[in-house]
Amino acid sequence: MGPTASGKTDLAIGLADALNGELISVDSALVYRGLDIGSAKPRYPHHLIDICDPRDAYSAARFAEDARAAMEQIRSRGRRPILVGGTMLYYSALVQGFAAMPDADLQVRAAIASLAARDGWPAVHRELARVDPDAAARIHPNHSQRLSRALEVYRLSGKTMTELHGQTPDASLDEEVLAVAIAPAERRVLHQRIATRFGQMMEAGFLDEVQALRARGDLHGDLPSVRAVGYRQLWAHLEGECNLDEAQELAIVATRQLAKRQFTWLRKWPDLHWIHTDGSGGVVDSDLALNDPDLLKITDPLNLLLNYLTYNPM
């Protein structure tokens, strides 16, 4: 686990190679075919990558089902499942259980989008506050995707998202899990990585990738795939809503905001072990090494985690 651009994918690949493991992606953008450059899609094999067309919705509940199936398949081959990614809601749905939610409905979403286009997202927020004040208090008036989903759930089910979350969730993962998060110790290091990586994505053809998606003709800006960080901002540029420099800056800011939300989730995650790194990726500190002086000497995150597992086998 970890915020975007933290180095979690490289760490997971090293673990998979060392532990006879297979990786399961926990990323809401990587599920989509054609979202390659902007999602930093890895070349190393992962389960649950490229499983959806960009015009389709993919839910946390479906992820939990797919991830469980992948874990069973991996174990049937005598290998170890390793989950890696930054979509914290997916982790929660799998590990902690998730209340059943109605599937996405494109007609209902279109109606909500029309309301927002006519009256603005604050008007959608006011409608949500009328039916589900608790959810409205949690969601910022400008967070269009979350607002849309909360109101969609109510219109489809007649129950609020708050009510559904309060119901008994689907079964949680009934097995031992080692949860590890990696992140730079200093936020400025993460911000620099985010900016550098986005520049590399642009050089690799990110704008051309978004142009190709838009040229399909069957995608639009309200789809979850198009609303992924980076894609949403470049799509807006191609729609004439901002120039390219503005789109790039907005994308970098949105990525930083994503990282902030990921940190918020991670701070609340139970029994989470942290590996904090410096600008070069070396270990600065980790609670994995608290009770072992020898582990304190290890500066490579992969070696630290492998040595920890040697003394604390799963």
Side-chain angles (χ1 to χ4, degrees):
M1 307 168 81
T4 185
S6 63
K8 57 186 176 292
T9 299
D10 288 342
L11 177 58
I13 289 172
L15 281 174
D17 287 340
L19 299 176
N20 189 34
E22 295 183 27
L23 300 184
I24 301 174
S25 170
V26 190
D27 189 296
S28 59
L30 294 182
V31 299
Y32 292 109
R33 294 184 289 273
L35 275 67
D36 301 327
I37 298 172
S39 67
K41 190 168 289 178
R43 295 183 179 181
Y44 191 95
H46 286 60
H47 296 266
L48 307 190
I49 282 182
D50 288 340
I51 59 174
C52 285
D53 187 87
R55 67 176 177 273
D56 298 327
Y58 188 80
S59 67
R62 181 178 165 190
F63 167 80
E65 293 178 3
D66 291 345
R68 288 174 186 272
M71 292 169 73
E72 290 179 9
Q73 293 169 11
I74 293 167
R75 289 198 180 98
S76 73
R77 293 188 285 271
R79 309 193 74 184
R80 184 190 302 246
I82 300 171
L83 293 109
V84 55
T87 301
M88 303 305 162
L89 183 62
Y90 284 11
Y91 280 114
S92 180
L94 174 65
V95 177
Q96 300 174 342
F98 200 70
M101 295 284 172
D103 292 334
D105 186 294
L106 293 181
Q107 289 185 331
V108 173
R109 287 192 173 185
I112 295 170
S114 295
L115 171 63
R118 184 182 71 242
D119 300 331
W121 284 106
V124 178
H125 188 268
R126 287 192 296 272
E127 181 172 344
L128 179 63
R130 181 177 59 82
V131 298
D132 189 355
D134 290 337
R138 294 192 303 267
I139 303 173
H140 190 278
N142 292 327
H143 201 309
S144 56
Q145 189 168 357
R146 293 183 64 196
L147 280 176
S148 176
R149 179 56 178 162
L151 192 55
E152 177 191 23
V153 165
Y154 177 74
R155 290 186 176 184
L156 286 171
S157 68
K159 295 183 178 180
T160 67
M161 187 171 281
T162 300
E163 289 179 279
L164 292 173
H165 279 158
Q167 295 177 356
T168 302
D170 293 339
S172 59
L173 197 63
D174 187 21
E175 57 186 271
E176 187 179 7
V177 175
L178 175 65
V180 178
I182 184 170
E186 297 185 29
R187 194 64 59 90
R188 65 174 181 81
V189 173
L190 184 64
H191 287 176
Q192 182 57 54
R193 286 187 191 174
I194 288 170
T196 299
R197 188 176 71 169
F198 190 82
Q200 293 169 343
M201 289 175 175
M202 293 300 294
E203 292 176 1
F206 188 13
L207 183 60
D208 292 337
E209 180 171 277
V210 179
Q211 286 176 323
L213 291 168
R214 187 167 174 268
R216 285 179 37 154
D218 62 343
L219 304 179
H220 56 82
D222 290 320
L223 289 169
S225 58
V226 178
R227 297 183 69 80
V229 171
Y231 289 89
R232 178 182 183 179
Q233 290 75 26
L234 293 185
W235 190 281
H237 161 65
L238 295 174
E239 292 282 299
E241 298 176 15
C242 59
N243 64 42
L244 184 55
D245 287 341
E246 291 170 336
Q248 292 182 83
E249 181 59 31
L250 288 170
I252 291 171
V253 170
T255 309
R256 289 179 178 176
Q257 292 170 340
L258 169 62
K260 183 178 180 180
R261 293 194 298 273
Q262 290 169 321
F263 272 117
T264 299
W265 272 87
L266 289 166
R267 291 191 189 100
K268 299 176 182 178
W269 196 266
D271 302 318
L272 180 65
H273 297 283
W274 281 94
I275 299 176
H276 292 116
T277 58
D278 58 22
S280 62
V283 176
V284 174
D285 64 71
S286 174
D287 55 13
L288 293 172
L290 286 179
N291 299 316
D292 191 328
D294 290 334
L295 293 182
L296 289 172
K297 303 173 185 176
I298 300 175
T299 60
D300 176 69
L302 176 59
N303 287 336
L304 172 63
L305 190 48
L306 290 175
N307 275 272
Y308 175 84
L309 288 170
T310 298
Y311 297 107
N312 302 271
M314 297 287 294

